[in-house]
Amino acid sequence: TLGCVTVICSDKTGTLTQNEMTVVKAYTGGNIYQITGSGYNPSGEIYRQGNKIEAAADDDLRLLLSSGVLCSDAILEQKNAVDNEWSVIGDPTEGALVVAGAKAGMEKAKMNEAHPRIAELPFDSERKMMTTFHRNFQPGKIISFTKGAPDAILKRCTSMVIDGTVQPLTEERQREIMRINSEFASNALRVLAFTYREYEKLPEIINSETIETGLTF
């Protein structure tokens, strides 16, 4: 197919020229958040509906950012302390998630130590998602975090978190989520969805059919 192409149009953004991505917006619990800062420098502020907030005081956002940090393999490191230069080892998208977490005080190394990963389902292009399992996130529970393409993820969700409580994922709420997804995408943003699921113990069988279902958005 490519042999028939005569013109290629591409946008000149940081994604292509610097291979960097940055989290600038988030949606959870019915709220839209703006996250400032650029590149991989973990300096930035978080706003909810235009008002500056502390992520630690927002349960819904804290859960979302935690899932992004824990369900990622990228590592953030400071290249040059004098010039405050930072870089990411790993996938640029996962790097952006780790940086977003760091802006909220959730450093990847400390998060991994506090909530160790004990199993995973790696990403593949057919499922369009990735799942990791962690201890010590909820008292006495094993928690799995799944991230991936919103359309693929939403089909596997049965509930969502609103104001720190789990509520049914109704058709109306699904439409609202997809509306936000379209709104973000129309602003040239790459959109990912995040979910979790709790277990009494680590499942004996870990595959997509048994694990990546009944999720909480």
Side-chain angles (χ1 to χ4, degrees):
T1 304
L2 195 58
C4 302
V5 173
T6 54
V7 177
I8 296 177
C9 299
S10 63
D11 64 332
K12 187 180 182 300
T13 66
T15 306
L16 295 178
T17 57
Q18 297 179 329
N19 199 30
E20 288 184 355
M21 299 190 76
T22 307
V23 176
V24 294
K25 281 192 176 183
Y27 170 83
T28 184
N31 293 304
I32 293 178
Y33 302 79
Q34 292 78 37
I35 304 175
T36 66
S38 61
Y40 293 140
N41 189 322
S43 298
E45 298 175 336
I46 301 174
Y47 294 83
R48 181 180 62 209
Q49 317 293 44
N51 299 311
K52 183 179 175 181
I53 65 165
E54 294 296 330
D58 188 308
D59 290 340
D60 294 353
L61 181 62
R62 185 170 54 83
L63 179 62
L64 174 62
L65 293 177
S66 296
S67 66
V69 172
L70 292 170
C71 190
S72 294
D73 294 322
I75 299 172
L76 175 66
E77 63 177 15
Q78 191 171 30
K79 292 196 301 182
N80 187 327
V82 176
D83 297 327
N84 201 23
E85 293 182 2
W86 296 76
S87 65
V88 159
I89 300 173
D91 178 76
T93 301
E94 293 194 344
L97 300 175
V98 171
V99 171
K103 291 176 181 177
M106 302 176 188
E107 297 179 22
K108 174 70 170 170
K110 291 182 179 179
M111 291 289 285
N112 286 347
E113 183 178 355
H115 316 294
R117 184 186 301 186
I118 56 175
E120 66 182 278
L121 276 171
F123 175 87
D124 74 46
S125 56
E126 288 188 14
R127 290 174 19 253
K128 299 181 182 179
M129 62 189 73
M130 167 187 180
T131 298
T132 58
F133 291 81
H134 303 267
R135 293 191 192 279
N136 305 335
F137 193 85
Q138 301 284 19
K141 303 276 188 179
I142 300 295
I143 193 169
S144 67
F145 289 115
T146 301
K147 77 172 189 291
D151 56 337
I153 288 281
L154 208 56
K155 295 175 183 176
R156 299 174 182 243
C157 293
T158 56
S159 56
M160 69 180 293
V161 172
I162 300 177
D163 294 329
T165 63
V166 177
Q167 301 186 22
L169 182 61
T170 61
E171 290 187 9
E172 181 180 357
R173 286 171 175 162
Q174 287 189 50
R175 287 194 296 269
E176 173 65 8
I177 291 171
M178 292 311 296
R179 184 189 70 79
I180 296 294
N181 175 45
S182 297
E183 179 183 311
F184 282 7
S186 66
N187 288 319
L189 301 181
R190 181 182 182 191
V191 188
L192 292 177
F194 298 82
T195 69
Y196 77 95
R197 183 176 170 185
E198 294 180 348
Y199 302 83
E200 295 298 325
K201 61 180 181 179
L202 184 68
E204 294 182 5
I205 300 176
I206 298 179
N207 56 40
S208 182
E209 290 71 26
T210 58
I211 299 303
E212 293 170 335
T213 184
L215 304 175
T216 299
F217 179 85

